[in-house]
Amino acid sequence: MSVVANEKSLVTNNSTPTTIHQNTPINDGKILTVSVNSEEELLLTMQKIFEDEVDNEVDSVDFTDIVFGRTFDCFVDGVKTCKTIKKVILTASKLTEKEVNAIDILASDRKDVVLENSEGGFVGGVHTNWPLYYKTLYFEKAELQDIPELRRTPAEGIKIYKARYKRLPNKFIDMGAADGSNTLPLMLMGCENIDALDVDPEQKNKFNEKLEKFKLTKKAEVTNVIYHTCEFMNFQVSVPAEFLISNYVWSYRNPEKFDMCWKKSVDSVADNGFLCGEFFGKPSTPPREGITFHTFEEAISLLKQSNLEILYFEIEPHEVSLLERKDAETIPWGDLYRITVRKASEKIEEKEYEKVRKTLNQCESPKERRIFNVLESGCTQKTKFNPDFQ
């Protein structure tokens, strides 16, 4: 049955679709640009596209500046059923709130389709490039080679953030940015306003080389991605972050300076913003000097004292680290604690911390990786940001 059959009443006898251009090469296929003057023309044009009457090499359709109106359901049904279409370009500002919500559902139904906003950024809560989004979020995608992946801890945090707020954070601080191991994947996802910090000027050079490699140099300028060659404690935070990443920075602090660094990290985040990073568990051998270690209970206590909601807490046992890490022989910690937390604007009750303890302690073998994840615990309640960050 035609995907546009339920809208046939829109079509008049004198309606004909405006010419559609399909000669623009894109990757291995072609992009078809739609230009119409009425809903009737749009309906007939979509019928031609989605019923596969156009050149079968067309794999992308550009609906820039199109207002769908009563034909929107036909558009959604068409994208769902026409498997040859792999990319669709829309203009988010031309969509109604109801249409944006439908796009969210469409993206879940067809994650192989790239949904791109011609104005840049998101269509509602939908990322403009799901395949790349999953690749950068630590998932394997065979068709995407040599694309940097977000490290494990911030990847989990971003997934939780997206589930809770239906968008990416608007402001980032990336501590210990190195050559951009977190910053670059965030940029590829569509993140903006990133302050990347590292004390090593050579790492900044490597970062700039990678910007060139992935053709992101201009995008970094436009989207306010700035690499600062400085120490975090000397960095002036002008705007609190919605998402702060500590790339193994906290525990490499001298115990005498850890509290100051931790306090500044929390203070640098907006209410209801996220912090993610790692704490080092105490090793069985004499610990290396100049590093701050925590027991499991000390780590929980630190988060409780700062009134931070625990969203993700992973215990990676020392044995797991030795098996999985290339630098296993040099790691200075025992167990590794990976955390993602929310800077709560309300009081976090003791029972919430106890729930985390119980989840992490119920594993039969202490040598197995243990994870508490708020998404798997049914706790995906929405929390509103300070209006300044909307």
Side-chain angles (χ1 to χ4, degrees):
M1 183 177 70
S2 168
V3 296
V4 296
N6 62 332
E7 297 287 347
K8 287 291 186 181
S9 60
L10 286 176
V11 183
T12 64
N13 292 332
N14 297 323
S15 294
T16 57
T18 298
T19 301
I20 50 180
H21 311 283
Q22 58 185 67
N23 295 317
T24 305
I26 180 167
N27 297 326
D28 295 327
K30 294 180 181 178
I31 183 168
L32 183 152
T33 302
V34 177
S35 178
V36 296
N37 297 313
S38 67
E39 288 183 358
E40 289 83 357
E41 290 180 1
L42 178 58
L43 185 66
L44 288 170
T45 299
M46 287 195 294
Q47 182 177 5
K48 182 176 178 65
I49 295 168
F50 296 131
E51 291 187 349
D52 203 22
E53 296 176 10
V54 298
D55 185 340
N56 59 14
E57 292 184 2
V58 169
D59 61 5
S60 304
V61 186
D62 187 348
F63 288 98
T64 295
D65 290 329
I66 292 294
V67 176
F68 289 95
R70 291 174 292 170
T71 71
F72 185 75
D73 288 344
C74 301
F75 162 77
V76 172
D77 290 341
V79 175
K80 283 182 180 179
T81 57
C82 186
K83 301 303 181 182
T84 60
I85 300 299
K86 299 299 181 183
K87 180 178 180 179
V88 177
I89 302 172
L90 304 165
T91 301
S93 62
K94 301 292 184 180
L95 302 174
T96 66
E97 182 178 353
K98 182 179 179 180
E99 289 170 350
V100 169
N101 291 336
I103 292 290
D104 276 321
I105 298 172
L106 173 61
S108 297
D109 290 341
R110 281 206 64 186
K111 286 190 170 66
D112 60 317
V113 173
V114 173
L115 291 166
E116 183 173 308
N117 179 6
S118 65
E119 300 169 315
F122 285 74
V123 182
V126 177
H127 192 268
T128 59
N129 189 332
W130 277 110
L132 182 59
Y133 178 78
Y134 279 118
K135 174 64 179 178
T136 54
L137 262 184
Y138 211 73
F139 289 99
E140 291 296 334
K141 281 285 182 182
E143 69 272 18
L144 293 166
Q145 299 297 328
D146 198 28
I147 298 295
E149 294 180 354
L150 196 60
R151 290 176 178 267
R152 185 184 187 94
T153 312
E156 296 300 331
I158 288 290
K159 283 189 285 188
I160 297 169
Y161 192 102
K162 281 273 291 175
R164 191 167 277 204
Y165 300 124
K166 304 303 181 184
R167 64 171 175 84
L168 286 172
N170 288 326
K171 175 68 178 181
F172 293 81
I173 294 176
D174 183 8
M175 301 164 55
D179 62 353
S181 57
N182 289 314
T183 300
L184 286 164
L186 290 172
M187 290 180 65
L188 287 165
M189 273 183 214
C191 299
E192 303 181 359
N193 303 312
I194 305 173
D195 285 313
L197 316 176
D198 203 285
V199 295
D200 185 356
E202 181 58 30
Q203 295 295 337
K204 182 176 182 179
N205 293 335
K206 292 179 179 179
F207 173 72
N208 288 331
E209 290 173 2
K210 288 190 173 183
L211 285 181
E212 291 287 342
K213 176 181 178 181
F214 295 106
K215 297 179 174 58
L216 293 171
T217 303
K218 183 62 177 179
K219 184 173 183 178
E221 297 175 3
V222 173
T223 58
N224 195 33
V225 177
I226 304 174
Y227 196 107
H228 307 266
T229 307
C230 71
E231 211 274 345
F232 174 61
M233 295 304 293
N234 296 328
F235 178 67
Q236 183 65 41
V237 180
S238 56
V239 178
E242 290 186 352
F243 201 94
L244 180 143
I245 300 170
S246 168
N247 190 17
Y248 290 85
V249 172
W250 293 324
S251 288
Y252 273 117
R253 296 288 178 179
N254 188 296
E256 296 177 358
K257 298 181 178 180
F258 175 86
D259 288 342
M260 289 187 296
C261 180
W262 175 249
K263 183 178 185 304
K264 181 171 181 178
S265 297
V266 176
D267 291 345
S268 299
V269 175
D271 282 351
N272 296 314
F274 284 22
L275 301 89
C276 65
E278 299 82 17
F279 294 141
F280 295 170
K282 295 180 179 179
S284 56
T285 56
R288 189 187 304 176
E289 293 184 5
I291 296 177
T292 298
F293 299 96
H294 293 84
T295 64
F296 170 64
E297 283 299 328
E298 287 171 343
I300 294 287
S301 178
L302 180 64
L303 302 177
K304 179 181 175 181
Q305 289 170 16
S306 301
N307 194 48
L308 299 170
E309 179 191 8
I310 301 174
L311 305 173
Y312 183 86
F313 197 120
E314 175 183 341
I315 300 177
E316 181 182 285
H318 183 66
E319 292 82 356
V320 173
S321 297
L322 291 177
L323 289 173
E324 295 187 358
R325 296 182 64 94
K326 295 179 181 178
D327 58 348
E329 297 303 319
T330 63
I331 59 176
W333 58 81
D335 294 343
L336 182 67
Y337 307 130
R338 305 177 185 273
I339 67 153
T340 293
V341 295
R342 177 179 67 92
K343 183 178 177 180
S345 56
E346 76 286 358
K347 179 65 177 176
I348 302 298
E349 298 181 8
E350 170 61 34
K351 65 180 181 180
E352 298 301 320
Y353 298 103
E354 187 56 40
K355 179 170 60 178
V356 176
R357 288 191 185 92
K358 181 178 180 181
T359 300
L360 295 174
N361 287 329
Q362 66 186 6
C363 184
E364 294 182 2
S365 171
K367 295 183 179 181
E368 295 177 3
R369 191 188 297 273
R370 288 167 282 166
I371 298 174
F372 169 84
N373 190 327
V374 70
L375 294 180
E376 298 173 0
S377 302
C379 303
T380 56
Q381 72 274 17
K382 296 181 180 179
T383 307
K384 291 185 178 180
F385 265 119
N386 182 312
D388 291 343
F389 290 88
Q390 294 298 322

